[in-house]
Structures are given as C-alpha cells and as structure tokens.
Amino acid sequence: MIAVLRAVMTREIRLAARIGAGAELGLVFFLILISVTPFALGPDQKLLSRLAPALLWIAALLATLLGLDRLLQADEDDGVVDGLMLSETPLELILFAKALAHWLVTGLPLALIAPVLGLMLAIPPAAMLPLSLSLLVGTPALTLVGLVGAAVTVTLRRGGLLLSVLVLPLTVPTLIFGVAVVREASEGRAFTTPFLLLTGVSLIALVVSPVAAAAALRMTRG
C-alpha cells in the first residue's frame, strides 16, 4: 500500500511539472500579485503593513486554486479514476496522496518564499516566522478543501469556475485564522490561539476531505 501511495505521489509531481501546474506557476502568480499590490495601494507603508496579512493569504489561496481543476480532471479523461476506484488500496488514501503531492508543489513553496515577499508589503521582521508557519499549517487545508471540489466537478467539462465557486466559501475559516496569526504577530501579541485554531481546521480537513472526495467520486459513478 505504501508503494502504491508513493507511486501516486511521484506520478502527480511529475505530471504537475510537465503540464505547468507545478511550483513555478504558483510562485510566479504569487510573486506578480504581491509585486503589483504596492503600486495599487500607493507608498503608504502603514496601509501596506495593515493589509499585508490578508493580501498574502488571498494570494496564497488564488495560487493554490490554479492547479486544482487538473487535480482529477486529467485522470478522469484518461480513465484512470475508474482504475483507482477498483484498486485494492482505499480510494481515500489515494486521494490523500494526490492532495499531498499537489501541496508539495504549490503550498510548500509558497510557505517558504512568503517571508521574502512579506518584506515588499512592510511586514515587521518579527512576523516573518509566524507568516511562514501559518502558511505551512494552513495551505494544506486549502488543498484538501479543493480536493473535494475537484471530485464534485470532475465529470463536468470546464468545471474550473464552478470548482472555485464551491471551494472559496469553504476556505473562509482558514483565511480568517491565517490572517489573524500574522496580524497578531505583526502587532507584537501572542498568536497561539489563532494558530491552534488554524491547525485544527487543517486537521479536520485532513480527516474529512479525503472521505468526502471519495464519496463524491462514487456518487458520480451512480
């Protein structure tokens, strides 16, 4: 079973790099969005610093959404999904492996580069580590919620827009607690409570999302 999951993850990472849905696309999108923000808001450093946590998290959400529509669509087109459902390995674990691979090529690079981009938005140095930690803990929830949306829309042609409509409302708790972590750290206050709540959201998504996504795939097969 472990060998199967490892093979699934390796395949997903290679496919992401081949079709342009890997780390490069997410990082470029993230960088462009953060780079143009100071031009739109002006040179007011206080305003930038106040809006920076929300801007960084929204940018991370949009960068994560970029490749979600291809998370299962390519496998559906090739008939791979039917084979996965007939596999001896539980479908929930296979879907978790696919989500983990997606996070490794999107969420993890964003969490690592975010402190560097935070300098462009006048985030205090003391908040750089909490920013990275919040993205490291919170972006898996974005991917896992997106996994459910991808499973629901997998049989629909051009379901990317519908996927975004379904996923965005479900990401609100993650955004609220993620932004709260960075804001509390920026103002020199303890950020333990929002960080623990953010961790709780990711853990709930870790348990619920693979099961929900597997159920959605089975329902599409009638």
Side-chain angles (χ1 to χ4, degrees):
M1 184 179 298
I2 295 178
V4 172
L5 297 179
R6 186 184 299 115
V8 170
M9 290 183 57
T10 302
R11 175 178 178 274
E12 291 299 316
I13 292 174
R14 290 176 177 174
L15 284 177
R18 185 178 305 169
I19 65 178
E24 298 84 358
L25 179 60
L27 288 177
V28 169
F29 180 85
F30 194 64
L31 176 61
I32 291 175
L33 187 57
I34 297 302
S35 299
V36 301
T37 298
F39 296 100
L41 296 179
D44 189 339
Q45 295 295 309
K46 291 183 179 179
L47 178 62
L48 281 176
S49 180
R50 187 165 63 253
L51 297 179
L55 292 171
L56 285 167
W57 263 96
I58 291 174
L61 170 61
L62 296 178
T64 302
L65 287 176
L66 282 178
L68 284 178
D69 60 331
R70 291 186 291 269
L71 190 58
L72 293 172
Q73 189 62 58
D75 289 342
E76 174 70 15
D77 294 340
D78 296 337
V80 175
V81 172
D82 293 326
L84 295 178
M85 296 180 67
L86 296 175
S87 173
E88 295 182 358
T89 304
L91 182 59
E92 291 80 1
L93 291 181
I94 295 176
L95 292 176
F96 168 73
K98 292 174 71 67
L100 178 58
H102 181 274
W103 178 77
L104 288 175
V105 299
T106 54
L108 181 59
L110 295 181
L112 296 177
I113 200 174
V116 177
L117 299 180
L119 294 173
M120 302 173 62
L121 299 178
I123 290 184
M128 293 302 180
L129 180 59
L131 168 62
S132 186
L133 289 176
S134 68
L135 289 171
L136 192 65
V137 171
T139 48
L142 302 179
T143 298
L144 289 165
V145 170
L147 173 66
V148 179
V152 172
T153 61
V154 69
T155 59
L156 302 178
R157 296 296 179 183
R158 299 180 180 179
L161 179 58
L162 178 59
L163 187 151
S164 299
V165 172
L166 292 174
V167 167
L168 285 175
L170 300 177
T171 61
V172 171
T174 304
L175 294 179
I176 290 174
F177 297 133
V179 171
V181 170
V182 185
R183 181 172 292 120
E184 294 296 311
S186 299
E187 297 176 359
R189 296 194 294 263
F191 57 89
T192 305
T193 299
F195 184 78
L196 291 177
L197 291 171
L198 179 63
T199 304
V201 171
S202 291
L203 290 176
I204 293 173
L206 178 62
V207 174
V208 174
S209 294
V211 177
L217 284 180
R218 294 188 180 103
M219 289 180 62
T220 60
R221 297 308 188 271

